[in-house]
Amino acid sequence: MKLSKELTTLTFVLLTLFCSAQNNKQQHFEPGALWPDNNGVHINAHGGGLMEFEGTYYWYGQHMIEGKAGNRAMVGVHVYSSNDLYNWKDEGIALRVSNDPESPIVKGCIIERPKVIFNKKTGKFVMWFHHELKGMGYSAAKTGLAVADSPTGPFQYIHSVNPNAGQWPLNFTAEQKQMSFPKELKSWSEEWLEAVAGGLFVHRDFGKGQMARDMTLFVDDDGKAYHIHASEENLTLHISELTDEYTAFTNRYVAVLPAGHNEAPAIFKKDGKYYLIASDCTGWAPNAARSFVADQIFGPWESLGNPCRGTEEQMNTTFDSQSTYIVENPKKAGEFIFMGDRWMPENAIDGRYIWLPIMFENDKPVIHWQEKWQLN
């Protein structure tokens, strides 16, 4: 009888703890709020992207530290896992920076916007990221490659490159390939912008390879993968095709929205059309988002305007955030979630996440602010 009472008491305690744990689980999104992981620590995966593999989502992002220096890569790329997108388990550091001063990814370099895709052909998880060499500011403008056998890593760093060396964009005309430009052009003048649109920086970087800063990855329905990045001093987006292994460039690429000054690209496909959301270039300060649509991944791309809806301030600052990735809603096929970062340059580790549903109005993607929302 005594044993029975003890078992009853133990069962009650376990049920109480289970119910408490369930009640403590996050069951909605709260944009801009602290977002604790399974350890109760604010998620540290900034400028990130998601990958779904065998029913589990993996969130990769920059691991920030406290203070202004936190925007440099002092730790590496953090990864979290989730089965519901609300609650995330800390899976550790997927790609760790090196202590070797000769390594390109030595501690103190810049690693931003890591994205990971799975290659069914090779069985490898492939990571690309914006990479700047230590002590060189943002002048290197390279993209880094790392691969792993597991979605949580460890990822092995391969190299960093300036893509498409010695290759012209597919949408360049014969005239553009032969153009020459005055040596002295005043930045932001009408003549300078015309020269940029004509291929000024493509010509400049033709031999060494093009610049690649803010970036994302996209795998199309046919399995082809694309590397989309801000190039030409952040003035033009480039969409570059990757090889079948996803680990190199095929040298097939296009210059998109020349001289448009777009960065932070995020892309998705709906009903056979490609949609792109990007931002202006204002450093860590937020600005108004832009949206675009195309019938083919290589374009041409048509502007759809600012996708944000709300107050003037909300629309002019993308809800005080900047785009980083777009993921399909697992509860509603054909609907998508905008992922943005609310940067905190004075204390990088405190950066917040702005996840909001993307809706369609008059065949245009629109984003409305919501204090709290759920997938269904």
Side-chain angles (χ1 to χ4, degrees):
M1 189 65 146
K2 183 180 179 182
L3 181 59
S4 177
K5 285 184 177 179
E6 289 175 349
L7 286 173
T8 301
T9 302
L10 178 60
T11 301
F12 175 76
V13 170
L14 290 174
L15 281 172
T16 301
L17 289 173
F18 175 78
C19 291
S20 176
Q22 291 299 108
N23 289 335
N24 286 333
K25 277 192 170 184
Q26 188 144 319
Q27 299 176 20
H28 58 263
F29 297 106
E30 194 172 342
L34 287 172
W35 196 341
D37 64 13
N38 61 306
N39 298 315
V41 178
H42 182 51
I43 292 170
N44 198 340
H46 309 271
L50 300 191
M51 180 200 65
E52 186 272 333
F53 180 71
E54 296 184 346
T56 299
Y57 286 88
Y58 296 89
W59 181 356
Y60 304 87
Q62 304 158 229
H63 180 102
M64 303 290 206
I65 63 171
E66 292 185 356
K68 292 182 179 180
N71 295 310
R72 296 198 300 272
M74 307 304 288
V75 177
V77 175
H78 212 133
V79 58
Y80 297 81
S81 65
S82 174
N83 294 318
D84 61 8
L85 296 187
Y86 300 124
N87 300 279
W88 292 88
K89 177 185 177 183
D90 186 353
E91 297 284 2
I93 304 303
L95 174 67
R96 191 171 293 277
V97 295
S98 175
N99 289 317
D100 178 1
E102 299 301 314
S103 171
I105 58 167
V106 64
K107 183 183 294 186
C109 71
I110 293 174
I111 293 176
E112 295 179 339
R113 299 182 179 271
K115 306 293 185 292
V116 175
I117 50 180
F118 176 66
N119 189 287
K120 294 179 180 178
K121 176 181 177 181
T122 63
K124 298 287 187 180
F125 297 88
V126 181
M127 176 189 294
W128 288 93
F129 55 90
H130 169 209
H131 182 210
E132 299 290 351
L133 304 177
K134 184 177 181 179
M136 292 181 61
Y138 279 81
S139 62
K142 293 178 178 289
T143 183
L145 168 68
V147 297
D149 296 319
S150 164
T152 57
F155 280 77
Q156 178 187 359
Y157 172 70
I158 305 300
H159 62 197
S160 297
V161 298
N162 290 109
N164 303 311
Q167 300 293 325
W168 296 110
L170 296 176
N171 56 345
F172 258 36
T173 64
E175 182 183 4
Q176 282 178 292
K177 295 174 185 178
Q178 299 299 322
M179 286 183 71
S180 59
F181 304 93
K183 292 183 178 180
E184 300 286 337
L185 279 173
K186 184 179 179 181
S187 296
W188 300 108
S189 66
E190 185 176 340
E191 293 77 14
W192 181 80
L193 287 171
E194 289 178 358
V196 172
L200 173 66
F201 293 123
V202 173
H203 277 260
R204 184 195 68 182
D205 297 332
F206 185 78
K208 74 176 184 64
Q210 300 298 318
M211 305 177 83
R213 289 181 177 151
D214 282 7
M215 55 79 57
T216 192
L217 299 176
F218 175 73
V219 180
D220 211 338
D221 301 330
D222 59 2
K224 283 284 187 184
Y226 299 87
H227 188 296
I228 300 131
H229 50 271
S231 190
E232 303 179 38
E233 302 290 354
N234 288 1
L235 283 154
T236 304
L237 291 175
H238 285 186
I239 298 179
S240 300
E241 184 183 71
L242 295 174
T243 61
D244 289 345
E245 296 76 23
Y246 302 167
T247 54
F249 292 82
T250 65
N251 293 325
R252 297 184 72 245
Y253 76 107
V254 290
V256 177
L257 309 165
H261 216 213
N262 292 289
E263 65 176 8
I267 189 171
F268 67 103
K269 187 177 184 180
K270 178 179 171 62
D271 299 331
K273 290 183 179 290
Y274 300 84
Y275 295 91
L276 176 70
I277 293 179
S279 83
D280 197 353
C281 305
T282 51
W284 298 109
N287 56 66
R290 297 96 176 264
S291 63
F292 307 89
V293 64
D295 291 324
Q296 306 292 333
I297 186 72
F298 280 153
W301 288 83
E302 174 191 351
S303 174
L304 296 177
N306 188 340
C308 297
R309 300 292 184 269
T311 66
E312 184 176 357
E313 181 179 0
Q314 288 174 330
M315 294 179 64
N316 287 340
T317 66
T318 315
F319 310 108
D320 196 14
S321 78
Q322 186 183 38
S323 49
T324 185
Y325 198 73
I326 294 169
V327 64
E328 188 168 12
N329 184 337
K331 298 288 187 181
K332 292 186 175 183
E335 296 191 9
F336 297 84
I337 302 167
F338 168 87
M339 294 170 52
D341 287 279
R342 181 170 289 175
W343 302 113
M344 301 289 186
E346 298 301 316
N347 190 29
I349 198 172
D350 192 35
R352 307 298 175 89
Y353 309 104
I354 307 299
W355 289 24
L356 291 166
I358 296 175
M359 302 175 185
F360 271 77
E361 297 174 3
N362 300 319
D363 295 326
K364 295 181 180 181
V366 296
I367 306 168
H368 294 267
W369 176 256
Q370 298 191 45
E371 294 286 344
K372 288 184 180 181
W373 67 280
Q374 295 179 308
L375 293 171
N376 56 3

